[in-house]
């Protein structure tokens, strides 16, 4: 852990980022609770790439330049732990991979990493394709029945994929598990926005739903573990088997059980929610851009014919990947990355004191006009691999960056590509008349109220 030049200047003057005056704090708190994306966008538009935001006892340093993101998330990542929001979210999520730090995080990452190795992901392509085909069949059966909440169907899909690929288990056997995860995510975001100021025992409806959801998810975890232990000769290289072995090493069985719950809930919540969000935004954007949808369908027909996709098809589904990447630019699955400085640092020429909360926002970074021409426009050609853009690497960070780079990015991209191609080939999804998607920045950037779409079978 080292501090850069800014922490070594002694009594020299230190540059401080511009920002709103302290008297703006009440209005900023309201904006934080009601429209977080607008808050970040307005800060970047008004004050530039580095902003100091004072909110009561908290001072936030918001950095919105690729070089800033590279420094905080990668080059000097050892000086930054998880920051505002995720610290408070521990009360909802526990010490899973998303919120843990130090030796525990390294142990968790080392344990889970083999499950996401390229060879193992390639071997899971058939499972992902089967789940995608099941989604297409479910949607086809709903054709002509009126608007379908596609978000629910995508949640079922992504939970099915994660259950089979990472746990060697059928999560579809547990009714309501998707809604339980939603309640946990809602509570985690409430903890982030309220900075953990509301005791968990206060019987707010949100907190009551969360407590019930945790009980339901604990039941799911206990059943999964019991069923796996009942067949000891049939263990594989899946995460559930590895977790059972890892948590059994804890001296206190209660600690081991809690670790098992925290890690599984975090893994499944973060894993399924981000991919479902990406797919939802992709289908919404395709509906609004029929020329892109038609080109996507043509590629799917040419590459896949009438068969299921295979791992080898990924490099041939070029335009499909471009569409997904552009959807993640506009609506990144993780919209905010928070850190806390352990020692003094300097970012972009500005002093960051030890203990400061630092924010990097992919949502605003992906719309930075200096790096993206017509940033609000949906244009998959931005990601044409044959076109050299000269764009900085850290102008686009949908999966984060540095040591905390999303471990499941390859699985998520394969799932998104297979599902997008198969749905485009076999179905036509249309948003309900007058529907306008509203981003809801939770742990992922989901759509408020879901995505109602009508389904028409093609051919």
């Amino acid at each position: 852990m080292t501090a850069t030049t800014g922490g070594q200047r002694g009594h020299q003057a230190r540059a401080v980022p511009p920002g709103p005056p302290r008297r703006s704090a009440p209005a900023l708190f309201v904006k934080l609770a009601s429209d977080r994306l607008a808050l970040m966008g307005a800060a970047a538009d008004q004050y530039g790439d580095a902003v100091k935001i004072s909110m009561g006892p908290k001072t936030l340093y918001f950095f919105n330049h690729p070089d800033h993101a590279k420094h905080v998330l990668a080059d000097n990542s050892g000086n930054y732990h998880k920051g505002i929001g995720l610290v408070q979210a521990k009360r909802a999520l526990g010490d899973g991979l998303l919120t843990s730090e130090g030796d525990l995080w390294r142990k968790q990452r080392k344990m889970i990493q083999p499950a996401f190795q390229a060879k193992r992901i390639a071997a899971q392509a058939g499972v992902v394709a089967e789940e995608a085909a099941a989604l297409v069949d479910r949607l086809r059966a709903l054709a002509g029945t009126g608007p379908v909440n596609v978000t629910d169907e995508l949640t079922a899909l992504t939970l099915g994929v994660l259950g089979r690929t990472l746990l060697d288990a059928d999560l579809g056997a547990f009714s309501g598990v998707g809604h339980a995860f939603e309640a946990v995510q809602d509570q985690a975001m409430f903890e982030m926005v309220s900075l953990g100021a509301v005791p968990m025992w206060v019987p707010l409806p949100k907190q009551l739903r969360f407590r019930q959801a945790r009980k339901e998810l604990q039941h799911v975890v206990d059943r999964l573990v019991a069923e796996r232990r009942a067949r000891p000769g049939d263990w594989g290289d899946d995460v559930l088997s590895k977790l059972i072995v890892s948590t059994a090493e804890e001296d206190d069985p209660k600690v081991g059980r809690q670790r098992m719950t925290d890690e599984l809930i975090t893994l499944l919540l973060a894993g399924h929610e981000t991919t479902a969000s990406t797919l939802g935004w992709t289908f919404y954007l395709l509906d609004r851009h029929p020329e892109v949808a038609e080109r996507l369908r043509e590629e799917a027909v040419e590459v896949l014919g009438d068969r299921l996709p295979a791992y080898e098809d990924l490099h041939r589904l070029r335009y499909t990947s471009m569409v997904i990447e552009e959807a993640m630019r506009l609506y990144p699955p993780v919209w905010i990355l928070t850190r806390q400085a352990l020692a003094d640092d300097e970012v972009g020429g500005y002093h960051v004191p030890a203990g400061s909360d630092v924010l990097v926002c992919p949502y605003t970074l992906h719309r930075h006009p200096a790096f993206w021409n017509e940033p609000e426009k949906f244009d998959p050609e931005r990601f044409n691999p044959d076109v050299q853009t000269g764009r900085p690497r850290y102008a686009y960070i949908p999966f984060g960056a540095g040591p905390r780079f999303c471990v499941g990015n390859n699985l998520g991209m394969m799932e998104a590509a297979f599902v997008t191609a198969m749905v485009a080939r076999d179905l036509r999804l249309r948003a309900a008349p007058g529907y306008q998607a509203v981003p809801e920045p939770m742990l992922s950037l989901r759509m408020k109220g879901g995505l109602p779409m009508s389904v028409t079978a093609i051919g």
Side-chain angles (χ1 to χ4, degrees), residues 93-335:
L93 298 176
D95 265 322
L97 192 64
L98 186 65
T99 56
S100 61
E101 290 287 359
D103 290 340
L104 176 59
W105 175 81
R106 283 185 284 272
K107 180 178 181 180
Q108 292 169 334
R109 183 85 175 200
K110 183 178 179 181
M111 184 275 298
I112 199 174
Q113 190 79 48
F116 292 98
Q117 289 177 347
K119 184 177 180 180
R120 189 177 189 278
I121 295 301
Q124 298 288 342
V127 169
V128 177
E130 289 171 5
E131 291 292 329
L135 169 71
V136 170
D137 289 343
R138 291 197 302 272
L139 290 174
R140 191 193 304 275
L142 295 169
T145 62
V148 175
N149 190 339
V150 172
T151 299
D152 289 343
E153 297 298 331
L154 294 176
T155 297
L157 161 84
T158 52
L159 279 173
V161 169
L162 281 179
R164 292 182 64 187
T165 59
L166 298 186
L167 306 182
D168 190 21
D170 178 13
L171 293 179
F174 302 98
S175 61
V177 68
H179 292 296
F181 277 121
E182 185 174 333
V184 170
Q185 180 176 204
D186 287 348
Q187 180 68 23
M189 182 53 62
F190 176 69
E191 297 285 347
M192 293 171 74
V193 173
S194 66
L195 303 182
V198 181
M200 293 283 283
W201 53 263
V202 175
L204 299 176
K206 186 187 302 289
Q207 302 207 135
L208 292 174
R209 287 194 298 271
F210 164 72
R211 291 207 290 267
Q212 180 60 36
R214 283 288 297 200
K215 289 179 182 178
E216 294 174 10
L217 293 175
Q218 182 66 63
H219 172 68
V220 171
V221 170
D222 289 344
R223 272 193 55 186
L224 288 172
V225 172
E227 290 171 4
R228 182 59 49 84
R229 283 177 170 156
R231 49 185 180 98
D234 192 26
W235 290 21
D237 61 350
D238 59 277
V239 174
L240 179 58
S241 297
K242 291 180 178 296
L243 263 176
I244 292 174
V245 173
S246 175
T247 56
E249 298 172 356
E250 297 286 354
D251 294 333
D252 186 342
K254 290 183 179 179
V255 173
R257 182 172 183 258
Q258 188 61 55
R259 255 196 64 204
M260 174 79 72
T261 301
D262 291 348
E263 295 193 35
L264 281 180
I265 288 177
T266 298
L267 174 68
L268 291 173
L269 172 59
H272 93 271
E273 176 71 19
T274 51
T275 305
S277 170
T278 293
L279 285 167
W281 285 112
T282 299
F283 293 139
Y284 174 72
L285 290 166
L286 289 172
D287 174 52
R288 294 173 65 88
H289 299 84
E291 73 287 353
V292 175
E294 180 57 26
R295 182 176 169 187
L296 184 68
R297 189 188 74 82
E298 291 173 356
E299 179 182 79
V301 170
E302 179 183 350
V303 172
L304 302 179
D306 60 359
R307 63 175 174 81
L308 295 182
Y311 185 74
E312 293 73 21
D313 293 318
L314 283 176
H315 75 280
R316 300 173 61 203
L317 293 169
R318 288 186 10 137
Y319 192 66
T320 303
S321 295
M322 290 161 56
V323 167
I324 295 166
E325 288 176 315
E326 174 69 346
M328 289 194 298
R329 182 189 69 83
L330 286 170
Y331 301 103
V334 178
W335 68 278

Side-chain angles (χ1 to χ4, degrees), residues 52-65:
K52 181 181 178 182
I53 306 173
S54 298
M55 302 181 68
K58 286 286 185 181
T59 298
L60 311 179
Y61 288 78
F62 169 38
F63 292 104
N64 195 49
H65 189 281

Side-chain angles (χ1 to χ4, degrees), residues 388-452:
Q388 298 296 320
T389 66
R391 190 181 302 119
R393 157 72 182 82
Y394 287 81
Y396 182 67
I397 51 171
F399 296 107
R404 291 271 187 172
F405 185 80
C406 176
V407 69
N409 67 303
N410 289 329
L411 175 61
M413 281 299 295
M414 179 171 71
E415 183 178 358
F418 283 6
V419 171
T420 300
M422 292 178 67
V423 169
R425 179 191 65 184
D426 298 345
L427 305 170
R428 182 173 289 112
L429 302 182
R430 290 288 181 264
Y435 176 78
Q436 180 69 39
V438 177
E440 187 175 28
M442 306 297 280
L443 293 180
S444 67
L445 195 58
R446 67 186 185 186
M447 290 184 201
K448 190 171 185 177
L451 175 59

